[in-house]
Amino acid sequence: MTTTTHRIVILGAGYTGMLAAIRLARRTTKLAVAITLVNPSTRFTERLRMHQIAAGQELAHHDIPEILDGTGIEFVQGWVTAIDPGAQRVRVDGAGELAYDELIYALGSTAETSLVPGVAAYAHTLDDPRRAREFAGKLAVLATQGGSVAVCGGGLTGVEAATEIAESHPGLRVILISSGEPGAMMGSKARAHLNRALDRLGIVREIGVRVAAVLADSVELADGRMIGADLTLWTTGVRVSPLADRAGIETDARGLIVVDPTLKSVSHPMIHAIGDAAAVRQAWGRVHGTCQSGLPTAAYTADMIAAELRGKKVRPFRFGYFHQPVSLGRRDAVIQFTNADDTPCRLYLTGWAARAYKEMVSSSPVPTFKASKKMTMSVQLSKGGKATRACG
């Protein structure tokens, strides 16, 4: 009797793609399944900690094939250039075409640099560790000269980057430019602690303003003012790969793959979308892309595929937010605990307790990946309780 091998191709080896691949391999050890993981680099990038690299800190090097060792997963290095859902094939630069029976689309997001003039030419982003190191090298030189750096974006990434830079390079003038209040999604007490940290680190704020253009030595605001900046770090706005839209897979206005309650593409059910690539809705509203929500989508998809291959029924994906952890340099942090829909609740942490908590939840995921080879690791803090039961 001949057994047909079920081919599963996973695009992207970020947080979600790596976890989905390793967890799926463990869940299907006794099934005729071949798993292929595709990524342009052999190095695993810790996106959550890129602001530390940008500030001049060095993170451990993690090799993807080494992490996958012993799982039976085939790693293919290359850029995905096209998807043909009809033929169920993907084209990989330098590796030809890969056929699949099921596809997990885990191509994450990058900074949106095309909407504001000068951003692509003059601003740095936190997308690539090589660019982050280049930025760190310039910072180190600039700090000795008493220069200035502008961080555009008052979201959690911008706050973490600004505080990390200011703490690591006290000789720099750091300006945080934001259209809204930094940490606006937090409660008033957590936000007050965040602002005290910004004051303590001497970070200048330009709040309630829009960036009109980025120049080589300054940032132009929409009100006509020019903010001098020897370096600019861009942390606001994201975009996703256009591959899904080009392939005719149904996407939303942001380019995210529209999925059903089991995270399958509504137009091509043999394609699963996870992490930043998926337009996921819960009873309480839309899930926005974070590691907190991304890892649960990866774990769910791996478990769901394994269950379906065994002929079992699966329940819809359920998720609720639990916290907003923010580092404020290496010696401080603030944690805002939340309701399922990510609105703040009364509980929050600051100081050493918040710092320890933040380090625990945002440390390297590599130990989790390696442990997942041997056991089922929990990666979800909340399923949302009553707020998501309508989805089940």
Side-chain angles (χ1 to χ4, degrees):
M1 179 178 179
T2 302
T3 301
T4 302
T5 298
H6 192 76
R7 301 161 299 181
I8 302 172
V9 174
I10 302 171
L11 305 182
Y15 285 67
T16 59
M18 285 288 289
L19 180 64
I22 292 170
R23 191 173 178 116
L24 185 57
R26 180 179 174 274
R27 292 287 198 184
T28 58
T29 52
K30 297 182 180 180
L31 301 176
V33 171
I35 302 171
T36 302
L37 178 62
V38 183
N39 199 64
S41 171
T42 61
R43 177 172 181 165
F44 175 72
T45 300
E46 296 187 48
R47 287 290 300 274
L48 280 184
R49 304 177 77 184
M50 289 288 282
H51 60 285
Q52 292 178 240
I53 298 177
Q57 300 163 35
E58 190 60 43
L59 303 182
H61 178 92
H62 297 293
D63 187 68
I64 293 173
E66 187 275 327
I67 298 173
L68 299 178
D69 186 49
T71 63
I73 298 168
E74 179 187 6
F75 177 70
V76 174
Q77 183 180 0
W79 290 94
V80 179
T81 57
I83 302 170
D84 185 341
Q88 295 191 183
R89 291 179 176 273
V90 296
R91 188 177 308 125
V92 181
D93 186 33
E97 290 191 336
L98 301 175
Y100 65 84
D101 296 300
E102 291 190 79
L103 181 72
I104 300 178
Y105 190 100
L107 298 176
S109 59
T110 57
E112 175 56 85
T113 60
S114 65
L115 300 181
V116 176
V119 172
Y122 300 115
H124 294 257
T125 68
L126 297 176
D127 292 333
D128 187 322
R130 293 168 298 183
R131 293 290 305 277
R133 286 191 194 88
E134 177 186 330
F135 179 82
K138 293 179 180 179
L139 270 186
V141 173
L142 198 59
T144 65
Q145 303 168 350
S148 61
V149 56
V151 178
C152 298
L156 301 188
T157 301
V159 168
E160 290 193 326
T163 53
E164 203 78 52
I165 291 168
E167 182 182 88
S168 299
H169 301 284
L172 280 172
R173 183 172 185 263
V174 180
I175 309 112
L176 182 62
I177 302 173
S178 176
S179 60
E181 185 179 357
M185 69 294 294
M186 294 182 156
S188 59
K189 293 181 178 179
R191 196 164 60 248
H193 181 83
L194 185 154
N195 278 297
R196 285 194 293 271
L198 296 178
D199 288 338
R200 171 173 54 81
L201 292 167
I203 296 172
V204 179
R205 274 97 86 192
E206 290 286 348
I207 307 302
V209 294
R210 185 175 61 83
V211 175
V214 175
L215 307 176
D217 59 357
S218 60
V219 175
E220 181 183 353
L221 303 182
D223 61 11
R225 286 183 296 145
M226 304 295 289
I227 305 297
D230 300 290
L231 285 174
T232 299
L233 182 65
W234 191 260
T235 70
T236 181
V238 296
R239 62 183 175 191
V240 297
S241 169
L243 279 171
D245 186 56
R246 290 174 182 170
I249 302 166
E250 185 172 338
T251 59
D252 67 5
R254 298 161 295 156
L256 281 64
I257 295 177
V258 180
V259 295
D260 68 12
T262 63
L263 307 187
K264 294 180 180 179
S265 162
V266 295
S267 61
H268 298 83
M270 300 314 291
I271 297 176
H272 310 258
I274 60 178
D276 292 355
V280 181
R281 294 199 66 84
Q282 295 288 278
W284 49 260
R286 179 174 63 85
V287 175
H288 56 266
T290 65
C291 185
Q292 183 182 175
S293 58
L295 289 177
T297 66
Y300 170 87
T301 295
D303 295 348
M304 185 267 290
I305 291 175
E308 287 194 335
L309 288 174
R310 290 183 170 88
K312 297 181 180 179
K313 291 184 178 181
V314 296
R315 294 181 178 181
F317 174 70
R318 287 179 57 193
F319 170 78
Y321 287 98
F322 183 75
H323 59 197
Q324 297 163 354
V326 188
S327 63
L328 302 170
R330 292 297 87 200
R331 295 186 290 273
D332 195 6
V334 58
I335 313 297
Q336 173 67 67
F337 293 98
T338 69
N339 301 305
D341 62 357
D342 209 27
T343 55
C345 63
R346 290 189 300 171
L347 296 176
Y348 69 100
L349 285 178
T350 61
W352 69 266
R355 184 185 63 190
Y357 184 100
K358 167 66 176 176
E359 185 60 28
M360 177 182 68
V361 300
S362 299
S363 59
S364 173
V366 173
T368 298
F369 296 155
K370 292 184 176 180
S372 296
K373 297 178 185 180
K374 300 178 180 179
M375 65 184 76
T376 300
M377 299 292 293
S378 176
V379 296
Q380 185 160 345
L381 294 172
S382 171
K383 290 188 176 181
K386 293 180 181 179
T388 59
R389 283 178 188 160
C391 296

mmCIF file of all heavy atoms in Angstrom, residues 289-312:
data_model
loop_
_atom_site.group_PDB
_atom_site.id
_atom_site.type_symbol
_atom_site.label_atom_id
_atom_site.label_comp_id
_atom_site.label_asym_id
_atom_site.label_seq_id
_atom_site.Cartn_x
_atom_site.Cartn_y
_atom_site.Cartn_z
ATOM 1 N N GLY A 289 -1.531 43.147 14.840
ATOM 2 C CA GLY A 289 -0.322 42.343 14.808
ATOM 3 C C GLY A 289 0.642 42.639 15.947
ATOM 4 O O GLY A 289 1.195 43.732 16.026
ATOM 5 N N THR A 290 0.834 41.680 16.823
ATOM 6 C CA THR A 290 1.856 41.731 17.855
ATOM 7 C C THR A 290 2.360 40.312 18.071
ATOM 8 O O THR A 290 1.719 39.348 17.652
ATOM 9 C CB THR A 290 1.306 42.255 19.204
ATOM 10 O OG1 THR A 290 0.331 41.318 19.699
ATOM 11 C CG2 THR A 290 0.672 43.626 19.062
ATOM 12 N N CYS A 291 3.484 40.186 18.750
ATOM 13 C CA CYS A 291 3.969 38.852 19.096
ATOM 14 C C CYS A 291 2.979 38.160 20.026
ATOM 15 O O CYS A 291 2.781 36.947 19.961
ATOM 16 C CB CYS A 291 5.338 38.957 19.757
ATOM 17 S SG CYS A 291 6.111 37.364 20.103
ATOM 18 N N GLN A 292 2.325 38.947 20.877
ATOM 19 C CA GLN A 292 1.355 38.405 21.823
ATOM 20 C C GLN A 292 0.217 37.676 21.120
ATOM 21 O O GLN A 292 -0.248 36.646 21.590
ATOM 22 C CB GLN A 292 0.795 39.550 22.688
ATOM 23 C CG GLN A 292 -0.166 39.106 23.765
ATOM 24 C CD GLN A 292 -0.730 40.273 24.570
ATOM 25 O OE1 GLN A 292 -1.589 40.097 25.420
ATOM 26 N NE2 GLN A 292 -0.238 41.478 24.314
ATOM 27 N N SER A 293 -0.208 38.193 19.979
ATOM 28 C CA SER A 293 -1.274 37.534 19.223
ATOM 29 C C SER A 293 -0.719 36.599 18.160
ATOM 30 O O SER A 293 -1.367 35.600 17.792
ATOM 31 C CB SER A 293 -2.176 38.577 18.556
ATOM 32 O OG SER A 293 -1.428 39.420 17.683
ATOM 33 N N GLY A 294 0.490 36.885 17.659
ATOM 34 C CA GLY A 294 1.046 36.087 16.568
ATOM 35 C C GLY A 294 1.382 34.660 16.963
ATOM 36 O O GLY A 294 1.053 33.705 16.240
ATOM 37 N N LEU A 295 2.052 34.471 18.096
ATOM 38 C CA LEU A 295 2.439 33.128 18.510
ATOM 39 C C LEU A 295 1.231 32.227 18.730
ATOM 40 O O LEU A 295 1.253 31.054 18.330
ATOM 41 C CB LEU A 295 3.323 33.185 19.749
ATOM 42 C CG LEU A 295 4.739 33.736 19.519
ATOM 43 C CD1 LEU A 295 5.500 33.824 20.838
ATOM 44 C CD2 LEU A 295 5.513 32.886 18.522
ATOM 45 N N PRO A 296 0.140 32.701 19.355
ATOM 46 C CA PRO A 296 -1.041 31.850 19.454
ATOM 47 C C PRO A 296 -1.630 31.444 18.102
ATOM 48 O O PRO A 296 -2.129 30.324 17.954
ATOM 49 C CB PRO A 296 -2.025 32.716 20.252
ATOM 50 C CG PRO A 296 -1.146 33.559 21.108
ATOM 51 C CD PRO A 296 0.025 33.904 20.216
ATOM 52 N N THR A 297 -1.578 32.333 17.095
ATOM 53 C CA THR A 297 -2.085 31.926 15.775
ATOM 54 C C THR A 297 -1.217 30.820 15.182
ATOM 55 O O THR A 297 -1.729 29.917 14.513
ATOM 56 C CB THR A 297 -2.135 33.122 14.790
ATOM 57 O OG1 THR A 297 -0.816 33.593 14.498
ATOM 58 C CG2 THR A 297 -2.982 34.256 15.326
ATOM 59 N N ALA A 298 0.093 30.878 15.442
ATOM 60 C CA ALA A 298 1.003 29.849 14.937
ATOM 61 C C ALA A 298 0.742 28.512 15.616
ATOM 62 O O ALA A 298 0.663 27.457 14.964
ATOM 63 C CB ALA A 298 2.448 30.283 15.155
ATOM 64 N N ALA A 299 0.622 28.538 16.947
ATOM 65 C CA ALA A 299 0.380 27.304 17.695
ATOM 66 C C ALA A 299 -0.960 26.690 17.306
ATOM 67 O O ALA A 299 -1.072 25.472 17.101
ATOM 68 C CB ALA A 299 0.420 27.592 19.191
ATOM 69 N N TYR A 300 -1.977 27.538 17.196
ATOM 70 C CA TYR A 300 -3.310 27.050 16.815
ATOM 71 C C TYR A 300 -3.276 26.390 15.443
ATOM 72 O O TYR A 300 -3.835 25.297 15.245
ATOM 73 C CB TYR A 300 -4.308 28.209 16.817
ATOM 74 C CG TYR A 300 -5.645 27.838 16.206
ATOM 75 C CD1 TYR A 300 -6.648 27.268 16.984
ATOM 76 C CD2 TYR A 300 -5.897 28.035 14.851
ATOM 77 C CE1 TYR A 300 -7.866 26.908 16.432
ATOM 78 C CE2 TYR A 300 -7.113 27.675 14.287
ATOM 79 C CZ TYR A 300 -8.089 27.113 15.077
ATOM 80 O OH TYR A 300 -9.290 26.738 14.518
ATOM 81 N N THR A 301 -2.633 27.040 14.478
ATOM 82 C CA THR A 301 -2.609 26.504 13.115
ATOM 83 C C THR A 301 -1.877 25.172 13.049
ATOM 84 O O THR A 301 -2.322 24.235 12.367
ATOM 85 C CB THR A 301 -1.976 27.527 12.156
ATOM 86 O OG1 THR A 301 -2.822 28.678 12.100
ATOM 87 C CG2 THR A 301 -1.808 26.962 10.761
ATOM 88 N N ALA A 302 -0.758 25.059 13.749
ATOM 89 C CA ALA A 302 -0.037 23.782 13.781
ATOM 90 C C ALA A 302 -0.909 22.688 14.377
ATOM 91 O O ALA A 302 -1.014 21.575 13.822
ATOM 92 C CB ALA A 302 1.249 23.934 14.592
ATOM 93 N N ASP A 303 -1.566 22.986 15.485
ATOM 94 C CA ASP A 303 -2.422 21.984 16.134
ATOM 95 C C ASP A 303 -3.620 21.641 15.267
ATOM 96 O O ASP A 303 -4.050 20.487 15.192
ATOM 97 C CB ASP A 303 -2.898 22.522 17.490
ATOM 98 C CG ASP A 303 -1.762 22.727 18.484
ATOM 99 O OD1 ASP A 303 -0.639 22.240 18.222
ATOM 100 O OD2 ASP A 303 -2.000 23.383 19.521
ATOM 101 N N MET A 304 -4.183 22.656 14.603
ATOM 102 C CA MET A 304 -5.365 22.442 13.778
ATOM 103 C C MET A 304 -5.063 21.572 12.569
ATOM 104 O O MET A 304 -5.816 20.657 12.241
ATOM 105 C CB MET A 304 -5.928 23.797 13.343
ATOM 106 C CG MET A 304 -7.228 23.715 12.576
ATOM 107 S SD MET A 304 -7.003 23.667 10.796
ATOM 108 C CE MET A 304 -6.446 25.330 10.509
ATOM 109 N N ILE A 305 -3.940 21.845 11.890
ATOM 110 C CA ILE A 305 -3.572 21.032 10.724
ATOM 111 C C ILE A 305 -3.346 19.586 11.142
ATOM 112 O O ILE A 305 -3.822 18.643 10.480
ATOM 113 C CB ILE A 305 -2.315 21.602 10.045
ATOM 114 C CG1 ILE A 305 -2.629 22.947 9.382
ATOM 115 C CG2 ILE A 305 -1.763 20.621 9.006
ATOM 116 C CD1 ILE A 305 -1.419 23.641 8.799
ATOM 117 N N ALA A 306 -2.629 19.383 12.249
ATOM 118 C CA ALA A 306 -2.366 18.026 12.726
ATOM 119 C C ALA A 306 -3.667 17.306 13.069
ATOM 120 O O ALA A 306 -3.844 16.117 12.760
ATOM 121 C CB ALA A 306 -1.449 18.062 13.937
ATOM 122 N N ALA A 307 -4.599 18.019 13.694
ATOM 123 C CA ALA A 307 -5.876 17.418 14.063
ATOM 124 C C ALA A 307 -6.681 17.038 12.816
ATOM 125 O O ALA A 307 -7.258 15.938 12.744
ATOM 126 C CB ALA A 307 -6.674 18.379 14.936
ATOM 127 N N GLU A 308 -6.723 17.924 11.830
ATOM 128 C CA GLU A 308 -7.483 17.631 10.607
ATOM 129 C C GLU A 308 -6.880 16.463 9.848
ATOM 130 O O GLU A 308 -7.611 15.661 9.246
ATOM 131 C CB GLU A 308 -7.548 18.873 9.719
ATOM 132 C CG GLU A 308 -8.483 19.941 10.269
ATOM 133 C CD GLU A 308 -8.812 21.013 9.247
ATOM 134 O OE1 GLU A 308 -8.009 21.234 8.316
ATOM 135 O OE2 GLU A 308 -9.881 21.623 9.382
ATOM 136 N N LEU A 309 -5.555 16.356 9.842
ATOM 137 C CA LEU A 309 -4.920 15.224 9.166
ATOM 138 C C LEU A 309 -5.292 13.899 9.831
ATOM 139 O O LEU A 309 -5.251 12.840 9.193
ATOM 140 C CB LEU A 309 -3.396 15.392 9.164
ATOM 141 C CG LEU A 309 -2.849 16.480 8.226
ATOM 142 C CD1 LEU A 309 -1.344 16.649 8.422
ATOM 143 C CD2 LEU A 309 -3.149 16.128 6.771
ATOM 144 N N ARG A 310 -5.674 13.952 11.094
ATOM 145 C CA ARG A 310 -6.117 12.751 11.823
ATOM 146 C C ARG A 310 -7.632 12.580 11.767
ATOM 147 O O ARG A 310 -8.194 11.716 12.434
ATOM 148 C CB ARG A 310 -5.655 12.820 13.279
ATOM 149 C CG ARG A 310 -4.137 12.668 13.439
ATOM 150 C CD ARG A 310 -3.741 12.676 14.916
ATOM 151 N NE ARG A 310 -2.356 12.298 15.084
ATOM 152 C CZ ARG A 310 -1.335 13.134 15.053
ATOM 153 N NH1 ARG A 310 -1.565 14.446 14.833
ATOM 154 N NH2 ARG A 310 -0.097 12.708 15.221
ATOM 155 N N GLY A 311 -8.301 13.448 10.997
ATOM 156 C CA GLY A 311 -9.735 13.334 10.840
ATOM 157 C C GLY A 311 -10.546 13.907 11.984
ATOM 158 O O GLY A 311 -11.739 13.608 12.119
ATOM 159 N N LYS A 312 -9.933 14.754 12.803
ATOM 160 C CA LYS A 312 -10.634 15.324 13.954
ATOM 161 C C LYS A 312 -11.200 16.703 13.621
ATOM 162 O O LYS A 312 -10.672 17.425 12.782
ATOM 163 C CB LYS A 312 -9.680 15.441 15.144
ATOM 164 C CG LYS A 312 -9.148 14.102 15.643
ATOM 165 C CD LYS A 312 -8.223 14.311 16.831
ATOM 166 C CE LYS A 312 -7.689 12.979 17.349
ATOM 167 N NZ LYS A 312 -6.763 13.186 18.512
#
